[in-house]
Amino acid sequence: MPVNPIDALSIAQDLLRCPSVTPADAGALGVLERLLQAAGFDVHRVTFSEPGAADIDNLYARIGTSAPHLCFAGHTDVVPPGDVAAWSHGAFAGEVHDSQLYGRGAVDMKGGIACSVAAVLEYLAAHGGQPHDSGQGSISFLITGDEEDVAVNGTVKLLQWAAARGEKFDHCVLGEPSNVEALGDCIKIGRRGSLSGTLIVDGVQGHVAYPHRASNPVPDIAALIVALGNDPLDAGSDTFQPSNLEFTSVDVGNPATNVIPAQARARFNIRFNDQHSAESLQALIEQRVETACGNRIKARIDWLPSNAAAFVTKPGAFTDLVAAAIEQVTGRRPELNTGGGTSDARFITHYCPVIEFGLVGQTMHKIDERTPVADLATLTQIYRGVLERYFA
């Protein structure tokens, strides 16, 4: 079925005008549903629930029924805009000023989704409405509204739902803002894992004038913080930078100046590479705490559940294909990188090789989040080049 291509800027503006602050959808998935249905996609809206979490609407759309199957993934939920009065242009207005598209999600990652949809519509229009002139191949979109929050009713469950239907993906492009300085400088081929916990030191409350009748946990937790930071977790590898543990808060919950507190707590996060699992890291940190405590300090760790393990997509034919499409359009040969935070690629990697390539991430989550309009056109060209090579 022939389709009428729609430019990425128009799609991005329609998406930005939906205030889909996680977990709200605010019509964003409906924008994509209408476009993809008109292009001949089989579109499904799937809602997932979890006790203690918001119900989340998700979208899966596919055209074609055979391999090879290329999936474009992403999320339409966004972080809150912050002080809306501080924005130069409306956070949800989708306005263009000085050749820049402003709005929450312009970079992370409604702009990337708009480019992938525009590229696919252009590609289908040039190939009789099918992934390949022969009728072979499939293209799909896996879009969630639950990435910026707890990520329990989004991509992880949508992938399970798709697998139960017999869907099989050969490769996936996740349109997260992977580039650091300029479009084309970086492809994310993996991510470090994330593990969080709270270090708790128990003392004995008492009057500061009678310290012998109390046990102050503040010096003890300070000593443990130093001890845990003294020895590196590893030296990194050819693919990953070293793992790092960062303390993010220290609190004793004590408003008084003349009372020794009963307890001190310090929250921390570890970003770890593929030399560790969450379980092995917990054991390592607990052993280091036990050693540092000796027989005097009473300490323990409360761990938060982790659904973010380290992963890597090995360089090969698929990464070469994407890099070639990027280089042809931008003139840059992208670096293959595993830095940055977590993303839904950590779930997708269990189903197929996945890379992340989207817009430049310098303004994501900031006031006046924005992207050059020219970058939208360029990214659309790159995605179109990926499609042409993939189904060649």
Side-chain angles (χ1 to χ4, degrees), residues 271-319:
R271 293 302 166 104
F272 60 93
N273 58 35
D274 57 353
Q275 298 181 44
H276 308 274
S277 67
E279 293 75 21
S280 69
L281 265 181
Q282 288 180 11
L284 175 62
I285 299 303
E286 287 175 355
Q287 178 59 52
R288 291 187 177 184
V289 168
E290 182 179 347
T291 300
C293 283
N295 296 320
R296 185 182 64 82
I297 301 175
K298 297 178 180 179
R300 64 187 187 278
I301 297 176
D302 281 352
W303 296 101
L304 291 177
S306 173
N307 63 358
F311 75 93
V312 64
T313 296
K314 298 296 183 183
F318 181 57
T319 57

Side-chain angles (χ1 to χ4, degrees), residues 122-312:
E122 288 181 9
Y123 176 82
L124 293 175
H127 291 270
Q130 295 296 323
H132 192 273
D133 297 342
S134 68
Q136 299 299 305
S138 300
I139 302 170
S140 64
F141 286 91
L142 188 92
I143 310 296
T144 185
D146 186 31
E147 197 271 353
E148 296 290 6
D149 195 18
V150 292
V152 297
N153 287 323
T155 296
V156 62
K157 287 187 177 179
L158 190 57
L159 286 163
Q160 294 168 354
W161 172 89
R165 288 170 44 87
E167 300 283 340
K168 294 182 179 180
F169 307 100
D170 291 299
H171 296 91
C172 180
V173 176
L174 177 60
E176 288 281 3
S178 61
N179 293 280
V180 180
E181 299 291 341
L183 194 60
D185 65 18
C186 182
I187 297 173
K188 299 287 188 185
I189 60 168
R191 297 277 190 162
R192 292 185 297 171
S194 178
L195 176 65
S196 295
T198 302
L199 174 64
I200 304 170
V201 176
D202 292 313
V204 177
Q205 184 174 311
H207 197 293
V208 296
Y210 304 94
H212 56 287
R213 298 176 182 171
S215 177
N216 196 336
V218 175
D220 292 339
I221 202 166
L224 291 179
I225 289 172
V226 172
L228 289 177
N230 275 342
D231 295 325
L233 297 171
D234 55 68
S237 65
D238 292 340
T239 309
F240 285 93
Q241 64 192 92
S243 304
N244 67 291
L245 183 154
E246 298 293 337
F247 282 92
T248 57
S249 73
V250 181
D251 184 48
V252 295
N254 181 19
T257 60
N258 61 348
V259 175
I260 293 172
Q263 188 181 83
R265 303 167 68 90
R267 291 191 296 176
F268 62 90
N269 177 263
I270 306 172
R271 293 302 166 104
F272 60 93
N273 58 35
D274 57 353
Q275 298 181 44
H276 308 274
S277 67
E279 293 75 21
S280 69
L281 265 181
Q282 288 180 11
L284 175 62
I285 299 303
E286 287 175 355
Q287 178 59 52
R288 291 187 177 184
V289 168
E290 182 179 347
T291 300
C293 283
N295 296 320
R296 185 182 64 82
I297 301 175
K298 297 178 180 179
R300 64 187 187 278
I301 297 176
D302 281 352
W303 296 101
L304 291 177
S306 173
N307 63 358
F311 75 93
V312 64

